[in-house]
Amino acid sequence: MENAGQSALLHIIVNILFLIIAWWAMQSFHIDKFIRKGKVMQARVLFILLTVALASLASDFFLQYLNYSTNLQFLFS
């Protein structure tokens, strides 16, 4: 049970870390050029959703890679 708790904590930390990195990276994108007048709120929501999607993809890739690399020990035992 302790291992499941550690895994959950690792997943939470990695997801938050990649969310921060994705938000930081998305700040370089000038979305202002694509916003219609009066649609600022929709553009902000889209920006947040794109950031969450990017962070989710990156963190899933990282966590799967970590899982696969730790499971390689069972190939040789």
Side-chain angles (χ1 to χ4, degrees):
M1 189 57 84
E2 181 179 322
N3 192 16
Q6 290 174 350
S7 176
L9 182 62
L10 176 68
H11 279 70
I12 290 171
I13 291 171
V14 167
N15 281 323
I16 291 173
L17 178 68
F18 276 101
L19 186 62
I20 292 169
I21 292 171
W23 182 262
W24 173 74
M26 290 288 289
Q27 295 299 314
S28 68
F29 184 66
H30 294 288
I31 198 167
D32 303 340
K33 298 176 182 178
F34 304 107
I35 298 175
R36 292 183 183 174
K37 279 193 167 192
K39 302 291 184 181
V40 176
M41 186 58 100
Q42 287 94 337
R44 288 181 184 166
V45 170
L46 177 64
F47 192 79
I48 291 169
L49 290 175
L50 287 174
T51 302
V52 170
L54 181 63
S56 177
L57 285 171
S59 66
D60 285 347
F61 172 79
F62 177 79
L63 290 169
Q64 283 182 356
Y65 186 82
L66 181 66
N67 185 32
Y68 294 153
S69 63
T70 55
N71 285 339
L72 278 177
Q73 66 182 346
F74 299 117
L75 183 64
F76 302 109
S77 61

